[in-house]
């Protein structure tokens, strides 16, 4: 089956610094990828849609200048959390559609802790 | 707007007992329906999916779900729960024509008592 990887799996950074999270589709190409955020004991909330070759589409309430998304190739999307603050600490998950587009394949997630 | 409701935030069952997790959705047509399981600190694992056809779908780990159009429901069932089934379960709706966007329910946390 299709595999989506994320790197790193966990990261700790200091407040005010930036951190980049990578999402890769390992055995298929994805012109679109999605980024989700999940707080402890809560559901996944769609943050943005990453589009290869064009700007990302952000959900309402998500700061585009804070969460920079770059879809550099058909297999790679990156999420950069800029000037991170403790409230940005969360579990970030990416996904990519494949096949006929009916399904999403999810990455294993990245645990971000901002101290 | 699309929405997914999982009425049960937390469910506790005894090992060997049957299980049913509820999921209701709000959408004008039949969406694509999914159930995922998530263990603590882990990503999502697909249990089963429904696109069309037979309304009773079989998934992995002995799970099944039934799509009921009249009730806008897609409840997950398992006849005999194992201790390893303890996890968080998410129902998700994929809306055709929206660029494959998924909408997730709030999740149901399952505890299994030995």
């Amino acid at each position: 089956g299709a595999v989506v990887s994320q790197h790193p799996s966990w990261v700790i950074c200091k407040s005010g610094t930036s951190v980049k999270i990578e999402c890769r589709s390992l055995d298929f190409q994805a012109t679109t990828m999605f980024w989700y955020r999940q707080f402890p004991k809560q559901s996944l909330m769609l943050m943005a849609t990453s589009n290869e070759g064009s700007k990302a589409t952000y959900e309402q309430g998500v700061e585009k200048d804070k969460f920079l998304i770059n879809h550099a190739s058909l297999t790679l999307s990156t999420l950069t959390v800029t000037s991170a603050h403790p409230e940005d600490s969360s579990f970030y998950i990416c996904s990519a559609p494949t096949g006929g587009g009916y399904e999403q394949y999810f990455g294993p997630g990245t645990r971000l802790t901002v101290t | 707007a699309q929405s997914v409701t999982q009425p049960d935030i937390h469910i506790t069952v005894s090992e060997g007992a049957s299980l049913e997790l509820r999921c209701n959705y709000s959408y004008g047509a039949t969406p694509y329906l999914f159930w995922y399981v998530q263990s603590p600190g882990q990503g999502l694992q697909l249990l089963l999916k429904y696109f069309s056809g037979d309304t009773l779908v079989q998934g992995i780990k002995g799970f099944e779900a039934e799509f009921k159009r009249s009730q806008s429901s897609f409840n997950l069932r398992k006849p005999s729960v194992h201790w390893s089934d303890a996890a968080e379960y998410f129902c998700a709706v994929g809306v055709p024509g929206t660029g494959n966007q998924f909408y997730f329910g709030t999740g149901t946390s399952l505890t299994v008592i030995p």
Side-chain angles (χ1 to χ4, degrees):
Chain A
V3 177
V4 175
S5 70
Q6 283 185 241
H7 178 80
S9 56
W10 60 271
V11 57
I12 301 174
C13 70
K14 292 186 177 181
S15 185
T17 63
S18 296
V19 61
K20 180 184 289 187
I21 302 170
E22 293 184 349
C23 176
R24 292 181 185 273
S25 55
L26 297 185
D27 50 1
F28 65 101
Q29 294 182 333
T31 57
T32 301
M33 291 183 177
F34 298 94
W35 286 96
Y36 298 83
R37 182 174 183 175
Q38 184 182 31
F39 290 108
K41 304 290 186 181
Q42 296 189 24
S43 188
L44 283 75
M45 298 300 296
L46 180 65
M47 297 176 65
T49 303
S50 173
N51 304 300
E52 191 270 337
S54 64
K55 292 182 178 181
T57 305
Y58 291 83
E59 295 299 300
Q60 190 173 6
V62 177
E63 300 175 60
K64 59 181 66 176
D65 294 331
K66 180 168 188 60
F67 298 100
L68 301 180
I69 291 173
N70 182 31
H71 202 130
S73 73
L74 288 172
T75 59
L76 173 64
S77 174
T78 60
L79 168 68
T80 301
V81 183
T82 62
S83 186
H85 288 100
E87 56 264 33
D88 298 324
S89 298
S90 189
F91 195 53
Y92 292 88
I93 300 176
C94 70
S95 72
T98 187
Y102 303 125
E103 294 189 49
Q104 296 280 350
Y105 289 88
F106 288 85
T110 297
R111 173 74 59 193
L112 170 63
T113 301
V114 184
T115 62
Chain B
Q2 299 81 13
S3 68
V4 184
T5 303
Q6 292 181 246
D8 306 304
I9 296 174
H10 185 248
I11 286 181
T12 300
V13 300
S14 298
E15 190 169 18
S18 63
L19 172 71
E20 181 170 30
L21 303 183
R22 296 182 291 166
C23 174
N24 293 92
Y25 66 89
S26 174
Y27 180 59
T30 300
Y32 307 135
L33 298 162
F34 305 84
W35 274 99
Y36 290 88
V37 60
Q38 184 182 38
S39 297
Q42 303 296 312
L44 300 176
Q45 181 180 24
L46 178 67
L47 287 176
L48 44 78
K49 59 195 176 189
Y50 173 79
F51 295 154
S52 64
D54 192 347
T55 57
L56 183 63
V57 294
Q58 302 296 322
I60 63 172
K61 301 184 178 184
F63 286 93
E64 66 177 27
E66 184 172 13
F67 168 60
K68 293 185 177 180
R69 185 188 306 275
S70 61
Q71 299 176 19
S72 297
S73 68
F74 189 57
N75 294 348
L76 180 71
R77 299 193 294 252
K78 186 169 184 177
S80 178
V81 172
H82 188 264
W83 64 266
S84 60
D85 293 324
E88 191 81 18
Y89 290 80
F90 292 99
C91 179
V93 163
V95 179
T98 63
N100 307 303
Q101 284 189 5
F102 269 28
Y103 298 88
F104 283 87
T106 50
T108 297
S109 177
L110 175 64
T111 298
V112 180
I113 299 174

